[in-house]
Amino acid sequence: MAELSRSDRRWIDSVIREDEIERYLIDGKDFIDQELIWGELERQADPDASRIREIVAKSKELERLEPDETAALLNCRDPQLWDEMYAAGLEIKQHVYGRRIVTFAPLYISNYCVNNCAYCGFRRENTSIQRKCLSEEELRRETLALISKGHKRLIMVYGEHPMTGADFIADTLKTVYSVKEDAGEIRRANVNAAPFSIDDLRKLHEVGIGTYQVFQETYHPETYRRLHPQDTLKGHMRWRLYCMHRAMDAEVDDVGIGALFGLFDYRFEIMGLLLHTIDLERRFDGVGPHTISFPRLEPAVNTPYIEKPGYKIDDETFKRIVTVLRLSVPYTGLILTAREPAGVRREVIPVGVTQIDAGSNIGIGGYADGNIVGEKQQFMLSDTRSLDEVISELVDMGMITSFCTAGYRCGRTGHYFMDIAKEGKVHTLCMPNAILTFAEYLSDYASEETRRKGWELLSRELEQLPDAQLRERVGELLRKVRRGERDLYL
C-alpha cells in the first residue's frame, strides 16, 4: 500500500483542473492572506473590555464579524469576559436554532487512500490499517444497523482513491436512500469526501447529496505543505481550498468547512475559517458555509505524528475556539463530534453547538458486527456512548434531539436557509419538525427512561411554540405519530 501504482499516479494527474481554481482567485491570489491574519492578531493584541463587549453585541445582532474583530476575541485574556462570551454563544444559538440539537451518525465506506497525510491513520504508508471498502450488500447491512437504532441522518465518509470517485459515491448514496425497515429510513445523507470537479459534484447533487464536507485541515500554507506530500492529490492546497466554491457552482446548496485543530496555531486556523466564510459569501451573494467543524487531533493506530503534536489544544482552549467561531459566524451551524469525551461535549455544547454525532462507530463495517477495531479506524473516538445514552443526557440538558430533514425536502437550503438563519428564524421553522422527529424516536427506539422524560420535555416544548394555531397543528401531528404515522412535517 505504501507505493503509488502507475494507474494511481495517472488518476491523480487527471483529477485537478487548474481552470477550476484560477476562476476563483483575485489577481492570482487566494483568500488566505497571511499578512492580514498575522497583522490583525498583532494589532488586536490587547483589546479592552469595552471593545470586546461591542464585538459581542454585534454578534448578538447576528452580524458576521470582520477579521479585526475575531482577532480581538482571540486575544482576550479576561476570564470574566470569556464567561460573558460563553453566555452570548448560548444566547445566539438559542436565538437562531432554538433548544434543539441535530443528531447524526458517521458511516465510513472505504479507507483506501492515495494520500499520505502525516496525522491520519488512513495514510497510504500505514501498513497497520486493515483496508476495506464496503460492498453494496455490506453497505445495506450497515445502513440497516443504523436505522435499527433510530438514526435518520448520516455523514458518509470516503478515502481519496480511484475506486471511490464521484460515480461510486453517487451509487452508495442511492443504496443508502433505498434501504427501509418498517418505519425507519435514512432521510439525509451528507458526504465527507475528496474535493471534486464541478461536473463530478453535479452528479452528487443529482442523486440527493446532503451537505458536502471537505475540511482544509490547516489553512497555514507552510504547515499544509509539510504535512501533505506534494506527490499526492491532497498536496495541492488550492484544489482543496476552492472545493466549496466548485460545489456551490455545481448547485450543491449546503457545504461544510472545517479545520483540524492541533496542526498549527489555533488562532490562525480560526482566522482561516473566517476568511473562507467571507470569500464564499462574497462569491455567492451572501451564502457561506452551512456548517463549520472544529475536530481536534486524536490518536490513531501506528501514527507517531499525533504522539507529539506541536500545537496541542487543551480543553479550555477548545471551548474558547468553539465560542469564537459561534460569535464570528453567528448564523452558521457548528458541529461537535464524538472525537471529544462526553465531559468535554457536556461543557462545549452550551456555548453554541448545533449538531453532534452519537452512537458512532468509525470502523469500516463496525455497525453491523458491533465491534470497535482500531485497525479499521481513521482515529480513536472518545465518546462511544449509545445514541440513547446521548439523547437521554440532552433531555436532561433541556434540549430536543432533532432528526428533522424536512427543510431539505421543502427547499429550505442554500439562499433560503441562510436568509432565515441571518434573521434568527431557523427555530420557528425547525422546532415543530424537531418535536415530531423526536416523538418518532421516543415511540420507536428509546429506552423506557428516555421515553418517559423525553415526552415530558416534548410537552413543555409544545407549550412554548409561539402561537396557539401552531401548537394545535403540531399537537394534532403528535397524536398521529403516537398512532403510528411517520415522516410528518410542516
Side-chain angles (χ1 to χ4, degrees), residues 161-205:
H161 193 273
M163 73 169 65
T164 53
D167 290 328
F168 175 85
I169 293 175
D171 287 341
T172 57
L173 282 166
K174 292 176 187 176
T175 297
V176 165
Y177 284 137
S178 73
V179 177
K180 314 290 182 183
E181 183 187 60
D182 298 327
E185 62 185 336
I186 299 302
R187 299 172 185 161
R188 167 87 167 180
N190 302 329
V191 167
N192 185 315
F196 288 113
S197 68
I198 293 173
D199 286 344
D200 280 342
L201 286 160
R202 287 197 179 106
K203 295 177 183 178
L204 302 183
H205 172 65

Side-chain angles (χ1 to χ4, degrees), residues 15-74:
V15 169
I16 296 171
R17 298 273 305 273
E18 292 292 344
D19 62 308
E20 293 191 1
I21 300 171
E22 293 168 359
R23 64 193 293 176
Y24 303 113
L25 302 178
I26 299 177
D27 297 328
K29 297 180 180 179
D30 60 52
F31 58 80
I32 298 301
D33 186 338
Q34 292 198 70
E35 184 177 347
L36 170 69
I37 291 173
W38 292 124
E40 292 297 355
L41 287 171
E42 182 177 350
R43 282 188 287 274
Q44 307 297 326
D46 190 24
D48 60 30
S50 61
R51 166 80 165 148
I52 295 298
R53 290 188 174 112
E54 287 174 2
I55 295 169
V56 171
K58 178 180 177 179
S59 293
K60 288 182 178 181
E61 295 299 317
L62 307 186
E63 293 185 48
R64 179 190 38 77
L65 300 186
E66 297 299 329
D68 65 308
E69 295 166 324
T70 292
L73 297 184
L74 287 168

Side-chain angles (χ1 to χ4, degrees), residues 335-354:
I335 299 178
L336 176 66
T337 73
R339 285 175 179 257
E340 301 301 330
V344 170
R345 299 227 285 180
R346 279 192 293 273
E347 184 74 13
V348 171
I349 285 173
V351 300
V353 169
T354 62

Side-chain angles (χ1 to χ4, degrees), residues 405-421:
T405 60
Y408 312 109
R409 289 177 284 176
C410 295
R412 299 168 190 161
T413 58
H415 279 278
Y416 185 102
F417 177 85
M418 198 58 64
D419 287 346
I420 62 173

